[in-house]
Amino acid sequence: MSKGLFDLSGKVALVTGGNGGIGLGFAMGIARQGGDVCIWGRNADKNRDALAQLKPYGTRCHAISCDVVDETVVDQAFAETLEEFGRVDGCFANAGVGGGGRFDELTLAQWRRVMAVNLDGLFLTLRAAARHMKARAEAGDAGGRLIGTSSIGAKLGMVGGEAYAGSKGAVLSIMKGLAVEYARYGVTANSVLPGHIETAMTEETYQSEKFHNAIMPRVPARRWGTPEDFEGIAAYLMSDASQYHTGDSFVIDGGFII
C-alpha cells in the first residue's frame, strides 16, 4: 500500500517545550500522522500529562526533563533521545519565554534571561540536532528537519517587547543560515511565527476585555489561535512533502500581520 503524502511512520521528532501550548500542538500533529515524538520540558508533571494526551495515537512517545539553557543537560537529553529512538529526523526548537518590560527600565538580568532561553536554548538544541543529522548524512542516511519557533513579534513594533522580539527576530536569521549550511546534507531549516495564540500561559491576557477589544478587531479570522492550529504545519514540515522547502518563515496568525 502506498504511503500518504504526510505519513510520518518511522520518523522521530524532538520538540522542546513540547509539554504544552504550541509545542504540544506540534507534537500532536506529528503523532496523528504516525510519527514518534520525544518532548523536552522542565515540568515533570506537565511532561506526564502531555504523554497521556499523545498516547491514544499509538506511536512511541517519550518525555525528558530538560532545561535548554544548560549545555550539559541539553547534550545529555539529546543522547537519551537517541538511546530511546535511535535517530532524530526533525527537531523543533520551541522552548521559549516572554518577559522584558519598558526598554529604559529593563535590567540586564531581565534581558539576559530572555536571550538565554530563546536564543541560547535554541542554539544548543539545534546544534545537537545538526551534528546528529550531519553525521548521519555522512554515513549515507541524508535528511532532516530543523524548525525554530519565532513570533510575529519579530516583524512588529512592540512596546516593552524589545527583548522578546529581538530574540525572535534572531531566530529568523539563524534558521536561514542553517538552511544554506545544511542543505548539502538533505536537511531543511524553517521558522514558524505564531500570532496571538491562546494557551495556558497566555489565557489570562487573552481573556482581558481591554486586550480583547484592542486586538481582536485586527485579527481577520476573528478568533485567537490555538495549539491545534500548529498540528498541520508540524506534519508538513516533518514529511517528505517539504523536502525542497527550506529557509522559509511560516506565519500562523489568522491574518493579523497581512
Side-chain angles (χ1 to χ4, degrees), residues 32-102:
R32 280 182 187 273
Q33 298 302 315
D36 298 330
V37 183
C38 186
I39 58 176
W40 292 4
R42 292 187 298 176
N43 187 307
D45 291 336
K46 288 184 63 178
N47 288 351
R48 185 169 56 251
D49 292 343
L51 289 180
Q53 293 183 63
L54 292 167
K55 185 177 180 180
Y57 297 109
T59 64
R60 288 190 300 160
C61 298
H62 183 67
I64 298 173
S65 294
C66 177
D67 184 352
V68 296
V69 172
D70 189 314
E71 181 175 15
T72 299
V73 170
V74 168
D75 288 342
Q76 290 174 343
F78 199 87
E80 181 179 338
T81 303
L82 292 180
E83 182 178 352
E84 181 72 22
F85 294 96
R87 61 189 292 126
V88 170
D89 298 289
C91 180
F92 291 72
N94 170 75
V97 295
R102 295 280 179 171

Short mmCIF file of all heavy atoms in Angstrom, two decimals, residues 32-102:
data_model
loop_
_atom_site.label_atom_id
_atom_site.label_comp_id
_atom_site.label_asym_id
_atom_site.label_seq_id
_atom_site.Cartn_x
_atom_site.Cartn_y
_atom_site.Cartn_z
N ARG A 32 -0.36 12.28 15.23
CA ARG A 32 -1.56 11.96 14.44
C ARG A 32 -1.20 11.30 13.12
O ARG A 32 -1.95 10.47 12.60
CB ARG A 32 -2.35 13.24 14.14
CG ARG A 32 -3.24 13.77 15.25
CD ARG A 32 -3.97 15.00 14.76
NE ARG A 32 -4.72 15.66 15.82
CZ ARG A 32 -5.97 15.35 16.17
NH1 ARG A 32 -6.60 14.38 15.52
NH2 ARG A 32 -6.58 16.00 17.13
N GLN A 33 -0.06 11.69 12.56
CA GLN A 33 0.35 11.16 11.26
C GLN A 33 1.30 9.97 11.38
O GLN A 33 1.95 9.57 10.41
CB GLN A 33 1.02 12.27 10.44
CG GLN A 33 0.10 13.44 10.13
CD GLN A 33 -1.15 13.02 9.38
OE1 GLN A 33 -1.07 12.25 8.44
NE2 GLN A 33 -2.31 13.51 9.80
N GLY A 34 1.40 9.42 12.59
CA GLY A 34 2.15 8.18 12.77
C GLY A 34 3.60 8.36 13.17
O GLY A 34 4.34 7.38 13.22
N GLY A 35 4.02 9.60 13.47
CA GLY A 35 5.39 9.84 13.86
C GLY A 35 5.63 9.61 15.34
O GLY A 35 4.73 9.78 16.17
N ASP A 36 6.85 9.24 15.68
CA ASP A 36 7.24 9.10 17.08
C ASP A 36 7.71 10.46 17.59
O ASP A 36 8.27 11.26 16.83
CB ASP A 36 8.36 8.08 17.22
CG ASP A 36 7.94 6.68 16.77
OD1 ASP A 36 6.74 6.37 16.90
OD2 ASP A 36 8.80 5.93 16.28
N VAL A 37 7.51 10.71 18.88
CA VAL A 37 7.78 12.03 19.43
C VAL A 37 8.51 11.95 20.76
O VAL A 37 8.12 11.19 21.65
CB VAL A 37 6.48 12.83 19.64
CG1 VAL A 37 6.79 14.23 20.16
CG2 VAL A 37 5.66 12.92 18.36
N CYS A 38 9.56 12.77 20.89
CA CYS A 38 10.22 12.97 22.18
C CYS A 38 10.01 14.42 22.57
O CYS A 38 10.35 15.33 21.81
CB CYS A 38 11.71 12.66 22.08
SG CYS A 38 12.55 12.74 23.70
N ILE A 39 9.41 14.65 23.72
CA ILE A 39 9.20 16.01 24.18
C ILE A 39 10.15 16.32 25.33
O ILE A 39 10.42 15.47 26.18
CB ILE A 39 7.73 16.27 24.61
CG1 ILE A 39 7.29 15.31 25.73
CG2 ILE A 39 6.80 16.16 23.43
CD1 ILE A 39 5.90 15.60 26.26
N TRP A 40 10.69 17.52 25.29
CA TRP A 40 11.52 18.02 26.38
C TRP A 40 10.76 19.14 27.08
O TRP A 40 10.21 20.04 26.43
CB TRP A 40 12.83 18.60 25.86
CG TRP A 40 13.79 17.64 25.26
CD1 TRP A 40 13.61 16.30 25.06
CD2 TRP A 40 15.09 17.95 24.77
NE1 TRP A 40 14.73 15.77 24.47
CE2 TRP A 40 15.66 16.76 24.28
CE3 TRP A 40 15.84 19.14 24.69
CZ2 TRP A 40 16.94 16.70 23.71
CZ3 TRP A 40 17.11 19.09 24.13
CH2 TRP A 40 17.66 17.89 23.66
N GLY A 41 10.74 19.10 28.40
CA GLY A 41 10.11 20.16 29.18
C GLY A 41 10.66 20.14 30.59
O GLY A 41 11.08 19.09 31.08
N ARG A 42 10.63 21.28 31.25
CA ARG A 42 11.20 21.35 32.59
C ARG A 42 10.28 20.77 33.66
O ARG A 42 10.75 20.32 34.71
CB ARG A 42 11.54 22.81 32.93
CG ARG A 42 12.68 23.38 32.12
CD ARG A 42 13.08 24.76 32.61
NE ARG A 42 11.98 25.72 32.50
CZ ARG A 42 12.04 26.97 32.92
NH1 ARG A 42 13.14 27.42 33.52
NH2 ARG A 42 11.03 27.78 32.77
N ASN A 43 8.97 20.80 33.41
CA ASN A 43 8.00 20.39 34.42
C ASN A 43 7.62 18.93 34.22
O ASN A 43 6.97 18.56 33.24
CB ASN A 43 6.75 21.30 34.31
CG ASN A 43 5.76 21.06 35.43
OD1 ASN A 43 5.34 19.94 35.67
ND2 ASN A 43 5.38 22.14 36.11
N ALA A 44 8.01 18.10 35.17
CA ALA A 44 7.77 16.66 35.04
C ALA A 44 6.28 16.31 35.01
O ALA A 44 5.86 15.40 34.29
CB ALA A 44 8.45 15.91 36.20
N ASP A 45 5.48 17.03 35.78
CA ASP A 45 4.03 16.77 35.79
C ASP A 45 3.41 17.10 34.43
O ASP A 45 2.57 16.35 33.92
CB ASP A 45 3.35 17.59 36.88
CG ASP A 45 3.71 17.12 38.29
OD1 ASP A 45 4.08 15.93 38.44
OD2 ASP A 45 3.63 17.92 39.24
N LYS A 46 3.81 18.21 33.84
CA LYS A 46 3.29 18.58 32.52
C LYS A 46 3.79 17.59 31.46
O LYS A 46 3.05 17.27 30.52
CB LYS A 46 3.72 20.00 32.15
CG LYS A 46 3.01 21.10 32.93
CD LYS A 46 3.42 22.49 32.43
CE LYS A 46 3.02 22.73 30.99
NZ LYS A 46 3.36 24.08 30.53
N ASN A 47 5.00 17.12 31.62
CA ASN A 47 5.50 16.11 30.69
C ASN A 47 4.63 14.86 30.72
O ASN A 47 4.26 14.30 29.68
CB ASN A 47 6.94 15.72 31.05
CG ASN A 47 7.95 16.80 30.73
OD1 ASN A 47 7.64 17.79 30.08
ND2 ASN A 47 9.18 16.61 31.19
N ARG A 48 4.29 14.44 31.93
CA ARG A 48 3.46 13.24 32.09
C ARG A 48 2.07 13.45 31.49
O ARG A 48 1.53 12.57 30.81
CB ARG A 48 3.36 12.89 33.57
CG ARG A 48 2.60 11.58 33.85
CD ARG A 48 2.75 11.16 35.30
NE ARG A 48 2.33 12.21 36.22
CZ ARG A 48 3.16 12.92 36.99
NH1 ARG A 48 4.48 12.70 36.92
NH2 ARG A 48 2.70 13.84 37.82
N ASP A 49 1.49 14.62 31.72
CA ASP A 49 0.17 14.91 31.16
C ASP A 49 0.21 14.95 29.63
O ASP A 49 -0.73 14.49 28.96
CB ASP A 49 -0.34 16.26 31.69
CG ASP A 49 -0.66 16.22 33.18
OD1 ASP A 49 -0.80 15.11 33.73
OD2 ASP A 49 -0.77 17.30 33.80
N ALA A 50 1.28 15.50 29.09
CA ALA A 50 1.42 15.57 27.63
C ALA A 50 1.50 14.17 27.03
O ALA A 50 0.88 13.88 26.00
CB ALA A 50 2.64 16.39 27.25
N LEU A 51 2.25 13.29 27.67
CA LEU A 51 2.36 11.92 27.17
C LEU A 51 1.00 11.22 27.18
O LEU A 51 0.69 10.45 26.27
CB LEU A 51 3.35 11.13 28.03
CG LEU A 51 4.84 11.49 27.87
CD1 LEU A 51 5.68 10.63 28.80
CD2 LEU A 51 5.29 11.33 26.42
N ALA A 52 0.19 11.52 28.18
CA ALA A 52 -1.15 10.92 28.26
C ALA A 52 -2.01 11.39 27.08
O ALA A 52 -2.83 10.62 26.55
CB ALA A 52 -1.81 11.30 29.58
N GLN A 53 -1.83 12.63 26.65
CA GLN A 53 -2.59 13.15 25.51
C GLN A 53 -2.09 12.57 24.19
O GLN A 53 -2.86 12.44 23.23
CB GLN A 53 -2.50 14.67 25.47
CG GLN A 53 -3.19 15.36 26.63
CD GLN A 53 -3.13 16.87 26.53
OE1 GLN A 53 -3.67 17.46 25.59
NE2 GLN A 53 -2.48 17.52 27.48
N LEU A 54 -0.83 12.22 24.12
CA LEU A 54 -0.26 11.66 22.90
C LEU A 54 -0.49 10.16 22.78
O LEU A 54 -0.50 9.61 21.67
CB LEU A 54 1.25 11.94 22.85
CG LEU A 54 1.66 13.40 22.70
CD1 LEU A 54 3.15 13.56 22.99
CD2 LEU A 54 1.34 13.91 21.30
N LYS A 55 -0.69 9.49 23.89
CA LYS A 55 -0.79 8.03 23.92
C LYS A 55 -1.85 7.45 22.99
O LYS A 55 -1.62 6.42 22.34
CB LYS A 55 -1.04 7.56 25.35
CG LYS A 55 -1.05 6.05 25.51
CD LYS A 55 -1.23 5.65 26.98
CE LYS A 55 -1.24 4.13 27.14
NZ LYS A 55 -1.42 3.73 28.55
N PRO A 56 -3.03 8.07 22.87
CA PRO A 56 -4.08 7.47 22.03
C PRO A 56 -3.70 7.30 20.57
O PRO A 56 -4.33 6.49 19.86
CB PRO A 56 -5.25 8.48 22.17
CG PRO A 56 -5.04 9.11 23.50
CD PRO A 56 -3.55 9.24 23.63
N TYR A 57 -2.69 8.00 20.09
CA TYR A 57 -2.31 7.88 18.69
C TYR A 57 -1.47 6.64 18.41
O TYR A 57 -1.23 6.30 17.25
CB TYR A 57 -1.59 9.15 18.23
CG TYR A 57 -2.47 10.37 18.32
CD1 TYR A 57 -2.25 11.35 19.27
CD2 TYR A 57 -3.58 10.50 17.47
CE1 TYR A 57 -3.09 12.45 19.38
CE2 TYR A 57 -4.42 11.59 17.58
CZ TYR A 57 -4.17 12.56 18.52
OH TYR A 57 -5.01 13.63 18.63
N GLY A 58 -1.03 5.98 19.47
CA GLY A 58 -0.37 4.69 19.31
C GLY A 58 1.06 4.72 18.81
O GLY A 58 1.61 3.68 18.46
N THR A 59 1.68 5.89 18.79
CA THR A 59 3.08 5.97 18.37
C THR A 59 3.97 5.98 19.61
O THR A 59 3.50 6.13 20.73
CB THR A 59 3.33 7.24 17.53
OG1 THR A 59 3.10 8.40 18.35
CG2 THR A 59 2.42 7.29 16.33
N ARG A 60 5.27 5.82 19.40
CA ARG A 60 6.19 5.87 20.53
C ARG A 60 6.36 7.31 20.98
O ARG A 60 6.65 8.20 20.17
CB ARG A 60 7.55 5.29 20.13
CG ARG A 60 7.59 3.79 19.96
CD ARG A 60 9.02 3.32 19.83
NE ARG A 60 9.68 3.92 18.67
CZ ARG A 60 11.00 4.01 18.51
NH1 ARG A 60 11.81 3.54 19.45
NH2 ARG A 60 11.50 4.56 17.43
N CYS A 61 6.21 7.53 22.26
CA CYS A 61 6.36 8.87 22.82
C CYS A 61 7.18 8.78 24.11
O CYS A 61 7.03 7.82 24.88
CB CYS A 61 5.01 9.51 23.12
SG CYS A 61 3.98 9.74 21.66
N HIS A 62 8.01 9.77 24.32
CA HIS A 62 8.90 9.77 25.48
C HIS A 62 9.07 11.22 25.91
O HIS A 62 9.02 12.14 25.09
CB HIS A 62 10.25 9.16 25.09
CG HIS A 62 11.22 9.05 26.22
ND1 HIS A 62 11.03 8.21 27.30
CD2 HIS A 62 12.43 9.66 26.44
CE1 HIS A 62 12.05 8.31 28.13
NE2 HIS A 62 12.91 9.18 27.63
N ALA A 63 9.25 11.43 27.20
CA ALA A 63 9.45 12.78 27.72
C ALA A 63 10.71 12.83 28.56
O ALA A 63 11.03 11.88 29.29
CB ALA A 63 8.25 13.23 28.56
N ILE A 64 11.42 13.95 28.45
CA ILE A 64 12.66 14.15 29.20
C ILE A 64 12.60 15.50 29.89
O ILE A 64 12.26 16.51 29.26
CB ILE A 64 13.89 14.11 28.27
CG1 ILE A 64 14.00 12.74 27.58
CG2 ILE A 64 15.17 14.41 29.04
CD1 ILE A 64 15.09 12.67 26.52
N SER A 65 12.92 15.53 31.17
CA SER A 65 13.01 16.80 31.89
C SER A 65 14.31 17.48 31.49
O SER A 65 15.39 16.91 31.68
CB SER A 65 12.97 16.57 33.40
OG SER A 65 11.71 16.05 33.80
N CYS A 66 14.19 18.66 30.91
CA CYS A 66 15.38 19.30 30.35
C CYS A 66 15.25 20.82 30.42
O CYS A 66 14.22 21.38 30.04
CB CYS A 66 15.57 18.87 28.89
SG CYS A 66 16.94 19.67 28.04
N ASP A 67 16.30 21.47 30.89
CA ASP A 67 16.41 22.91 30.86
C ASP A 67 17.34 23.26 29.70
O ASP A 67 18.54 23.00 29.76
CB ASP A 67 16.98 23.43 32.18
CG ASP A 67 17.04 24.95 32.24
OD1 ASP A 67 16.80 25.61 31.21
OD2 ASP A 67 17.34 25.49 33.33
N VAL A 68 16.79 23.84 28.64
CA VAL A 68 17.56 24.04 27.42
C VAL A 68 18.66 25.09 27.55
O VAL A 68 19.48 25.25 26.65
CB VAL A 68 16.64 24.42 26.23
CG1 VAL A 68 15.70 23.27 25.90
CG2 VAL A 68 15.88 25.71 26.50
N VAL A 69 18.71 25.79 28.67
CA VAL A 69 19.74 26.79 28.90
C VAL A 69 21.07 26.15 29.30
O VAL A 69 22.14 26.74 29.13
CB VAL A 69 19.29 27.80 29.97
CG1 VAL A 69 20.41 28.75 30.36
CG2 VAL A 69 18.09 28.60 29.46
N ASP A 70 21.00 24.93 29.82
CA ASP A 70 22.17 24.24 30.35
C ASP A 70 22.78 23.34 29.27
O ASP A 70 22.18 22.35 28.85
CB ASP A 70 21.76 23.40 31.56
CG ASP A 70 22.93 22.82 32.32
OD1 ASP A 70 23.85 22.26 31.67
OD2 ASP A 70 22.94 22.90 33.57
N GLU A 71 23.99 23.66 28.82
CA GLU A 71 24.63 22.93 27.74
C GLU A 71 24.80 21.44 28.04
O GLU A 71 24.51 20.58 27.20
CB GLU A 71 26.00 23.55 27.43
CG GLU A 71 26.74 22.88 26.29
CD GLU A 71 28.05 23.60 25.94
OE1 GLU A 71 28.51 24.42 26.77
OE2 GLU A 71 28.59 23.34 24.85
N THR A 72 25.24 21.12 29.25
CA THR A 72 25.45 19.73 29.62
C THR A 72 24.13 18.97 29.64
O THR A 72 24.05 17.83 29.14
CB THR A 72 26.12 19.63 31.01
OG1 THR A 72 27.39 20.28 30.96
CG2 THR A 72 26.31 18.18 31.42
N VAL A 73 23.11 19.59 30.18
CA VAL A 73 21.79 18.96 30.25
C VAL A 73 21.23 18.71 28.85
O VAL A 73 20.66 17.65 28.57
CB VAL A 73 20.82 19.82 31.08
CG1 VAL A 73 19.39 19.30 30.97
CG2 VAL A 73 21.25 19.84 32.54
N VAL A 74 21.39 19.67 27.96
CA VAL A 74 20.91 19.51 26.58
C VAL A 74 21.61 18.35 25.89
O VAL A 74 20.97 17.51 25.26
CB VAL A 74 21.10 20.82 25.78
CG1 VAL A 74 20.88 20.57 24.28
CG2 VAL A 74 20.14 21.89 26.27
N ASP A 75 22.92 18.29 26.01
CA ASP A 75 23.66 17.21 25.36
C ASP A 75 23.27 15.85 25.94
O ASP A 75 23.15 14.85 25.21
CB ASP A 75 25.16 17.44 25.49
CG ASP A 75 25.66 18.59 24.62
OD1 ASP A 75 24.93 18.98 23.68
OD2 ASP A 75 26.77 19.09 24.89
N GLN A 76 23.04 15.80 27.25
CA GLN A 76 22.62 14.55 27.87
C GLN A 76 21.21 14.16 27.42
O GLN A 76 20.94 12.98 27.15
CB GLN A 76 22.66 14.69 29.40
CG GLN A 76 24.06 14.77 29.98
CD GLN A 76 24.07 15.06 31.47
OE1 GLN A 76 23.07 15.51 32.04
NE2 GLN A 76 25.19 14.80 32.12
N ALA A 77 20.33 15.15 27.31
CA ALA A 77 18.96 14.89 26.88
C ALA A 77 18.93 14.40 25.43
O ALA A 77 18.15 13.50 25.08
CB ALA A 77 18.10 16.14 27.03
N PHE A 78 19.80 14.97 24.60
CA PHE A 78 19.83 14.53 23.21
C PHE A 78 20.36 13.09 23.13
O PHE A 78 19.84 12.27 22.36
CB PHE A 78 20.68 15.46 22.35
CG PHE A 78 20.38 15.33 20.88
CD1 PHE A 78 19.36 16.07 20.31
CD2 PHE A 78 21.08 14.44 20.08
CE1 PHE A 78 19.05 15.94 18.95
CE2 PHE A 78 20.78 14.29 18.74
CZ PHE A 78 19.76 15.05 18.16
N ALA A 79 21.36 12.79 23.94
CA ALA A 79 21.89 11.42 23.97
C ALA A 79 20.81 10.44 24.43
O ALA A 79 20.69 9.33 23.87
CB ALA A 79 23.10 11.35 24.89
N GLU A 80 20.02 10.84 25.42
CA GLU A 80 18.93 9.98 25.89
C GLU A 80 17.87 9.79 24.81
O GLU A 80 17.31 8.70 24.65
CB GLU A 80 18.29 10.58 27.15
CG GLU A 80 17.16 9.72 27.71
CD GLU A 80 16.53 10.30 28.97
OE1 GLU A 80 17.17 11.11 29.65
OE2 GLU A 80 15.36 9.94 29.26
N THR A 81 17.61 10.86 24.05
CA THR A 81 16.65 10.78 22.96
C THR A 81 17.10 9.75 21.93
O THR A 81 16.32 8.93 21.46
CB THR A 81 16.47 12.16 22.28
OG1 THR A 81 16.06 13.12 23.26
CG2 THR A 81 15.42 12.10 21.18
N LEU A 82 18.39 9.80 21.58
CA LEU A 82 18.92 8.84 20.62
C LEU A 82 18.92 7.42 21.17
O LEU A 82 18.67 6.45 20.44
CB LEU A 82 20.35 9.24 20.22
CG LEU A 82 20.49 10.52 19.40
CD1 LEU A 82 21.96 10.78 19.08
CD2 LEU A 82 19.67 10.46 18.12
N GLU A 83 19.18 7.30 22.46
CA GLU A 83 19.16 5.97 23.08
C GLU A 83 17.75 5.38 23.02
O GLU A 83 17.58 4.18 22.81
CB GLU A 83 19.63 6.07 24.53
CG GLU A 83 19.69 4.73 25.25
CD GLU A 83 20.21 4.86 26.68
OE1 GLU A 83 20.67 5.96 27.06
OE2 GLU A 83 20.16 3.85 27.41
N GLU A 84 16.76 6.25 23.19
CA GLU A 84 15.37 5.81 23.20
C GLU A 84 14.85 5.49 21.80
O GLU A 84 14.14 4.50 21.58
CB GLU A 84 14.49 6.89 23.85
CG GLU A 84 13.01 6.54 23.94
CD GLU A 84 12.71 5.48 24.99
OE1 GLU A 84 13.53 5.30 25.92
OE2 GLU A 84 11.65 4.83 24.88
N PHE A 85 15.19 6.35 20.82
CA PHE A 85 14.60 6.23 19.49
C PHE A 85 15.58 5.82 18.39
O PHE A 85 15.16 5.43 17.31
CB PHE A 85 13.96 7.57 19.08
CG PHE A 85 12.78 7.96 19.93
CD1 PHE A 85 12.92 8.81 21.01
CD2 PHE A 85 11.51 7.47 19.64
CE1 PHE A 85 11.84 9.18 21.79
CE2 PHE A 85 10.42 7.82 20.41
CZ PHE A 85 10.58 8.68 21.49
N GLY A 86 16.87 5.99 18.63
CA GLY A 86 17.85 5.61 17.62
C GLY A 86 18.19 6.68 16.61
O GLY A 86 19.25 6.63 15.97
N ARG A 87 17.33 7.68 16.47
CA ARG A 87 17.55 8.74 15.50
C ARG A 87 16.62 9.92 15.80
O ARG A 87 15.65 9.78 16.55
CB ARG A 87 17.28 8.25 14.07
CG ARG A 87 15.84 7.79 13.87
CD ARG A 87 15.63 7.09 12.52
NE ARG A 87 15.78 8.02 11.40
CZ ARG A 87 16.61 7.81 10.39
NH1 ARG A 87 17.40 6.74 10.37
NH2 ARG A 87 16.68 8.66 9.39
N VAL A 88 16.92 11.06 15.22
CA VAL A 88 16.03 12.22 15.27
C VAL A 88 15.93 12.76 13.85
O VAL A 88 16.92 13.16 13.25
CB VAL A 88 16.57 13.33 16.21
CG1 VAL A 88 15.75 14.61 16.06
CG2 VAL A 88 16.55 12.87 17.66
N ASP A 89 14.73 12.72 13.29
CA ASP A 89 14.50 13.18 11.93
C ASP A 89 14.10 14.65 11.87
O ASP A 89 14.31 15.31 10.85
CB ASP A 89 13.42 12.34 11.26
CG ASP A 89 13.83 10.87 11.16
OD1 ASP A 89 14.72 10.56 10.35
OD2 ASP A 89 13.26 10.05 11.91
N GLY A 90 13.51 15.14 12.94
CA GLY A 90 13.09 16.54 12.98
C GLY A 90 13.24 17.11 14.37
O GLY A 90 12.94 16.43 15.36
N CYS A 91 13.75 18.33 14.45
CA CYS A 91 13.96 18.98 15.75
C CYS A 91 13.23 20.32 15.76
O CYS A 91 13.56 21.22 14.98
CB CYS A 91 15.44 19.17 16.01
SG CYS A 91 15.80 19.98 17.59
N PHE A 92 12.27 20.46 16.64
CA PHE A 92 11.51 21.68 16.81
C PHE A 92 12.04 22.41 18.05
O PHE A 92 11.75 22.02 19.18
CB PHE A 92 10.02 21.38 17.00
CG PHE A 92 9.34 20.84 15.76
CD1 PHE A 92 9.59 19.54 15.32
CD2 PHE A 92 8.46 21.63 15.04
CE1 PHE A 92 8.96 19.04 14.19
CE2 PHE A 92 7.82 21.14 13.91
CZ PHE A 92 8.08 19.84 13.48
N ALA A 93 12.84 23.45 17.82
CA ALA A 93 13.37 24.26 18.93
C ALA A 93 12.31 25.27 19.30
O ALA A 93 12.27 26.39 18.78
CB ALA A 93 14.67 24.93 18.52
N ASN A 94 11.45 24.88 20.20
CA ASN A 94 10.24 25.64 20.51
C ASN A 94 10.24 26.26 21.90
O ASN A 94 9.47 27.20 22.15
CB ASN A 94 9.03 24.71 20.33
CG ASN A 94 7.75 25.32 20.83
OD1 ASN A 94 7.18 26.20 20.20
ND2 ASN A 94 7.29 24.85 21.99
N ALA A 95 11.06 25.77 22.80
CA ALA A 95 11.06 26.29 24.18
C ALA A 95 11.36 27.78 24.17
O ALA A 95 12.28 28.24 23.48
CB ALA A 95 12.09 25.54 25.02
N GLY A 96 10.59 28.54 24.93
CA GLY A 96 10.82 29.98 24.96
C GLY A 96 10.10 30.64 26.12
O GLY A 96 9.22 30.04 26.75
N VAL A 97 10.48 31.86 26.39
CA VAL A 97 9.84 32.65 27.44
C VAL A 97 9.53 34.04 26.91
O VAL A 97 10.16 34.52 25.96
CB VAL A 97 10.72 32.77 28.70
CG1 VAL A 97 10.94 31.42 29.34
CG2 VAL A 97 12.05 33.45 28.36
N GLY A 98 8.55 34.68 27.53
CA GLY A 98 8.27 36.08 27.25
C GLY A 98 9.04 36.92 28.25
O GLY A 98 10.06 36.50 28.79
N GLY A 99 8.52 38.09 28.50
CA GLY A 99 9.17 38.93 29.51
C GLY A 99 9.84 40.13 28.92
O GLY A 99 9.82 40.36 27.72
N GLY A 100 10.43 40.88 29.79
CA GLY A 100 11.05 42.14 29.40
C GLY A 100 10.39 43.26 30.16
O GLY A 100 10.11 43.14 31.35
N GLY A 101 10.05 44.31 29.47
CA GLY A 101 9.44 45.47 30.10
C GLY A 101 9.83 46.72 29.33
O GLY A 101 10.47 46.64 28.28
N ARG A 102 9.42 47.86 29.83
CA ARG A 102 9.77 49.13 29.19
C ARG A 102 11.28 49.19 29.00
O ARG A 102 12.05 48.92 29.92
CB ARG A 102 9.30 50.29 30.05
CG ARG A 102 7.79 50.39 30.18
CD ARG A 102 7.18 51.05 28.96
NE ARG A 102 5.72 51.13 29.08
CZ ARG A 102 4.95 51.81 28.24
NH1 ARG A 102 5.50 52.48 27.24
NH2 ARG A 102 3.65 51.83 28.40
#
